[in-house]
Amino acid sequence: MIPYGRQDIRDEDVEAVVEVLRSDYLTQGPCVPRFERAVCEAVGAAHGVAVSSATAALHIACAALGLGPGGLLWTSPVTFVASANCARYCGAEVDFVDIDPRSFDLCPDALERKLVAAERSGRLPDVVVPVHLCGQSCDMRRIHALAQRFGFRIVEDASHAIGGHFDGEPIGSGRYSDVTVFSFHPVKIVTTGEGGMAVTNDAELAARMGRLRTHGITRDVELMDRPCEGPWYYEQLELGYNYRLTDLQAALGCTQLERLEEYVAQRERLADRYDELLAPLPVRTPWRDPSGRSAWHLYVVRVPRNGAVSRRVVFERLRQAGIGVNVHYIPVHTQPYYAAMGFLPEQFPEAMAYYAEAISLPLHPRLSRDEQDRVVAELARALEP
Ligand SMILES: *Cc1c(COP(=O)(O)O)cnc(C)c1O
């Protein structure tokens, strides 16, 4: 099976992890802050808080922004469930904004319409989570302008998008948002096994997220409620979690991150090649935003619903032929957990149209040209009536 995504682990990764295994600290040692600095440098952010997953990062970002019971978060229905679940962890409500049919990202026009209506009905969102689907940035300039006008905070879910650019700046620079979240799951651009990071330019937010990562505890005398009782003393100021990344994971992250540009460039080359090879086939290849650069986490084609063969048949034929295709994503509002809150599939028609047609083709830095040729040949065969 040619997988849709997979990690690239080299000798230097193995050596870096083994070195930590032989050192004094398996966690809370020097590697985590080193990894945080390296990610900040790569994406142009001031502060990074490394955590155990992007899910954890989304949670502490929302919590640090003050999202709580009675609050409201909006995100795209075409994303992994974690982009919405972070609000539920905070006790807040979730709603969705339909996607742009061209980019498949959260649609700024739909967002504006929904905000205008929400202002009239008196229930504006507190946090909006734009998801950079497949690695291509949402139109952050417009979303940021809407945030200024309607007073919400922005957490970018850039789980797919480390190494990508928007408007001449790396995704994560924070020019248009409060916090940006990255995932280091093995199918993503760079990996720590499991892991994530929240980056921000706001020192106070970073400190708050850092506390939430470790039980809500501080050792900073300045922040303490009572006089420090001695060198052992710490205070729990609020309810936090154990969302720490280990030094083993951070060491892997550091060596992986050194190859960020190489990885994105390789994914881009493969995407260019897919564009070319797929041009004669009856599928829609991804649209590219000329004002940015995708990190190419996913290469999604759309099999037209009115075509000769259904998406399901194409998908099953490809899997039978050993091509590890996937579908990203089942619209979150149709999941039983969210449907039980009253969401109906037809509320977000562009998301449903996308879901009916999307197939993610294999794309990762170790995908060879031969393998890619096989994917294209099998796709051509699968599309035959
Ligand atoms: C992978 C992913 C997440 C969750 O990442 P984890 O690190 O596995 O928690 C969140 N949002 C999106 C869009 C993702 O693809």
Side-chain angles (χ1 to χ4, degrees):
M1 185 78 84
I2 301 175
Y4 86 86
R6 69 156 292 162
Q7 71 278 12
D8 168 54
I9 299 295
R10 301 187 194 168
D11 289 347
E12 58 256 43
D13 298 316
V14 174
E15 280 156 23
V17 174
V18 169
E19 196 178 307
V20 176
L21 276 171
R22 297 190 201 283
S23 77
D24 292 335
Y25 298 98
L26 301 188
T27 192
Q28 294 177 282
C31 291
V32 169
R34 191 189 308 151
F35 182 46
E36 289 172 338
R37 282 193 299 274
V39 170
C40 283
E41 199 163 302
V43 305
H47 310 279
V49 179
V51 285
S52 50
S53 67
T55 303
L58 286 162
H59 180 188
I60 60 170
C62 289
L65 287 169
L67 191 69
L72 179 60
L73 175 148
W74 289 1
T75 189
S76 167
V78 178
T79 184
F80 186 55
V81 293
S83 318
N85 288 347
C86 52
R88 304 296 299 147
Y89 298 149
C90 296
E93 305 278 305
V94 174
D95 201 349
F96 301 93
V97 179
D98 210 353
I99 60 165
D100 175 323
R102 192 168 61 165
S103 68
F104 318 149
D105 278 330
L106 186 147
C107 174
D109 295 326
L111 177 61
E112 182 166 6
R113 283 194 298 274
K114 196 172 172 107
L115 287 164
V116 169
E119 189 172 48
R120 251 185 262 123
S121 67
R123 187 96 202 276
L124 283 164
D126 303 284
V127 174
V128 171
V129 178
V131 182
H132 305 320
L133 199 75
C134 304
Q136 180 157 270
S137 179
C138 296
D139 186 343
M140 290 309 300
R141 206 187 324 188
R142 279 198 61 197
I143 294 171
H144 179 256
L146 291 168
Q148 302 290 298
R149 181 170 148 206
F150 291 95
F152 58 84
R153 313 296 292 270
I154 300 174
V155 177
E156 295 177 66
D157 185 344
S159 292
H160 298 182
I162 193 166
H165 288 245
F166 175 72
D167 225 5
E169 281 195 49
I171 291 170
S173 76
R175 181 158 158 199
Y176 297 117
S177 68
D178 297 285
V179 181
T180 302
V181 166
F182 299 112
S183 172
F184 307 120
H185 181 279
V187 296
K188 306 285 165 73
I189 311 285
V190 295
T191 189
T192 59
E194 292 275 4
M197 197 177 297
V199 300
T200 180
N201 294 326
D202 181 330
E204 225 166 279
L205 264 181
R208 182 101 201 271
M209 292 193 291
R211 246 188 349 261
L212 289 167
R213 164 176 66 185
T214 309
H215 309 282
I217 282 172
T218 188
R219 289 177 183 276
D220 183 347
V221 180
E222 300 282 301
L223 297 173
M224 287 181 186
D225 189 50
R226 297 190 298 245
C228 180
E229 294 173 11
W232 64 85
Y233 191 69
Y234 60 81
E235 282 184 356
Q236 183 190 345
L237 298 175
E238 62 190 319
L239 185 62
Y241 310 89
N242 179 353
Y243 279 167
R244 291 189 299 266
L245 192 74
T246 67
D247 266 45
L248 297 166
Q249 293 168 305
L252 176 57
C254 286
T255 50
Q256 287 268 311
L257 198 67
E258 285 173 16
R259 302 195 293 269
L260 177 62
E261 176 51 34
E262 178 190 335
Y263 284 151
V264 174
Q266 175 64 3
R267 286 173 176 276
E268 199 168 41
R269 272 195 294 278
L270 290 164
D272 289 347
R273 203 156 173 271
Y274 266 139
D275 278 0
E276 229 170 86
L277 297 171
L278 297 175
L281 299 186
V283 293
R284 215 171 106 200
T285 55
W287 175 76
R288 298 189 188 203
D289 182 352
S291 68
R293 180 202 196 187
S294 177
W296 288 109
H297 167 53
L298 297 173
Y299 189 93
V300 173
V301 294
R302 285 179 68 158
V303 179
R305 268 177 302 181
N306 53 5
V309 193
S310 74
R311 189 274 307 270
R312 176 154 187 176
V313 169
V314 174
F315 188 98
E316 286 177 345
R317 284 175 175 174
L318 285 167
R319 278 281 179 94
Q320 268 158 20
I323 311 299
V325 285
N326 222 312
V327 172
H328 300 94
Y329 291 93
I330 303 164
V332 177
H333 71 288
T334 68
Q335 293 290 351
Y337 176 75
Y338 285 100
M341 296 171 192
F343 291 108
L344 300 170
E346 60 270 23
Q347 273 178 278
F348 307 103
E350 295 297 347
M352 298 311 288
Y354 166 88
Y355 173 55
E357 299 186 341
I359 295 185
S360 307
L361 301 182
L363 179 64
H364 57 85
R366 285 169 65 168
L367 185 74
S368 69
R369 285 177 154 234
D370 284 353
E371 285 175 319
Q372 195 180 24
D373 289 341
R374 234 187 87 207
V375 173
V376 173
E378 292 297 349
L379 177 59
R381 197 165 311 149
L383 286 162
E384 283 168 14

